[in-house]
Structure formats: C-alpha cells, structure tokens
C-alpha cells in the first residue's frame, strides 16, 4: 500500500531533542509514548517495558536531569529537551560510579529493574550526595525490584554515594 506522505506529515509531530547528547529529529505520531520512541524509533532498548501504567519504574529515564516514567510520558512533551537513558550513563570499559557500585554490591539479580534503579540513583545523588537509608528508600520507591533485592540495592546506593562524590572531586 502506497504511503500518503502528506497525510503522514499532517498526522505527525516533528520531535527535536537530544538523546544521550546526540541531536535527534524524527516525525512521530502525537500519541507516541517516550518509551516507544526510545525503543522503537531509536532502538534504545535498555529502557525496559514493564507495567505500562507508571507503577514499576522499569521505563525510567531522565528528562533535563529529572527522572520520568517514559511509559506515561508523551514523546511530544520532550520537545527540545535533553533525554538521558541507560545507554548514555557509562561505557563497558569505564562504568559510571553508580554502575560500578551496583556491580560491587550485587545490586542486580535479574537486572530488569536495573536501568531505572540506576537513573533514579543518579538523580538522588545529584540532589542529595550523602543520603540516609530512609532517603534512599524514598527515592527508589517508584522503582520495583521483582527479585526483591532491596537490601543489596540500598547498600549499592550507599557505596555509589561514596564513589560518585570521589569521582566528582577528581573531576574538579
Ligand atoms: Fe513504565 Fe512500569 S513500564 S512504570
């Protein structure tokens, strides 16, 4: 079936944003979720699909430095904003301090929740460099771990706080 380009453009929104520091320009349907945009248009499948109702946190990404649940965020709402996904956090050879801490403390089991947990931890440590256990649990309350590995996750965030602070001091 031939595609009517005029119809396609009329039903579309031109989304311009930056994803993991890379400029991005794509026509999308106005109802496309940010999760679908990342996974299907950009093939960034590190952002996971879970409940699709904003409850589990598997789809967590950062928009201009604040976490959002991408399954309930319209892609059109991130016009001209900066999106950070797990793919932009660190490299295999040089992990982000938060990734290194989760590896060190076995903060993952099946790791399905990991991308969301890591990005929520980055937001927490940017705002609260030395969080209490209560602050850690509160900050991660929107991210569910179906393996229930919460003890090691809290331990990992405590370690991440130390590594992240040391890493920032080195860069200053
Ligand atoms: Fe978005 Fe669960 S998939 S919160």
């Amino acid at each position: 079936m031939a595609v009517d380009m005029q119809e396609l453009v009329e039903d579309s929104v031109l989304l311009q944003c930056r994803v993991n520091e890379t400029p991005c320009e794509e026509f999308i349907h106005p109802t496309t979720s940010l999760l679908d945009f990342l996974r299907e248009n950009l093939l960034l499948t590190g952002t996971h699909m879970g409940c699709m109702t904003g409850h589990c946190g598997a789809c967590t990404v950062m928009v201009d430095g604040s976490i959002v649940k991408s399954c309930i965020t319209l892609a059109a709402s991130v016009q001209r904003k900066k999106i950070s996904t797990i793919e932009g956090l660190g490299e295999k050879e040089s992990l982000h301090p938060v990734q290194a801490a989760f590896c060190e403390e076995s903060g993952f089991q099946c790791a399905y929740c990991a991308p969301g947990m890591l990005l929520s931890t980055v937001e927490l440590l940017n705002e609260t460099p030395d969080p209490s256990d209560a602050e850690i649990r509160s900050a991660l309350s929107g991210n569910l771990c179906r393996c229930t590995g919460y003890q090691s996750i809290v331990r990992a965030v405590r370690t991440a706080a130390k590594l992240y602070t040391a890493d920032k001091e080195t860069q200053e």
Side-chain angles (χ1 to χ4, degrees), residues 98-144:
V98 172
Q99 289 171 311
F102 270 72
C103 290
E104 198 175 309
E105 301 291 355
S106 302
F108 311 120
Q109 290 185 53
C110 83
Y112 198 79
C113 66
M117 286 285 183
L118 291 168
L119 291 171
S120 293
T121 301
V122 170
E123 185 199 53
L124 167 67
L125 298 182
N126 282 340
E127 292 174 358
T128 312
D130 185 20
S132 65
D133 282 6
E135 287 171 321
I136 294 171
R137 289 179 189 280
S138 170
L140 298 184
S141 61
N143 295 85
L144 304 183

Side-chain angles (χ1 to χ4, degrees), residues 61-118:
V61 298
M62 295 178 101
V63 176
D64 283 349
S66 299
I67 56 166
V68 302
K69 308 278 177 68
S70 62
C71 70
I72 53 169
T73 302
L74 286 176
S77 72
V78 302
Q79 192 70 265
R80 284 181 280 284
K81 296 189 175 176
K82 289 185 185 173
I83 320 305
S84 304
T85 71
I86 192 66
E87 286 88 349
L89 198 58
E91 302 290 333
K92 198 174 176 186
E93 299 72 28
S94 60
L95 294 178
H96 185 280
V98 172
Q99 289 171 311
F102 270 72
C103 290
E104 198 175 309
E105 301 291 355
S106 302
F108 311 120
Q109 290 185 53
C110 83
Y112 198 79
C113 66
M117 286 285 183
L118 291 168

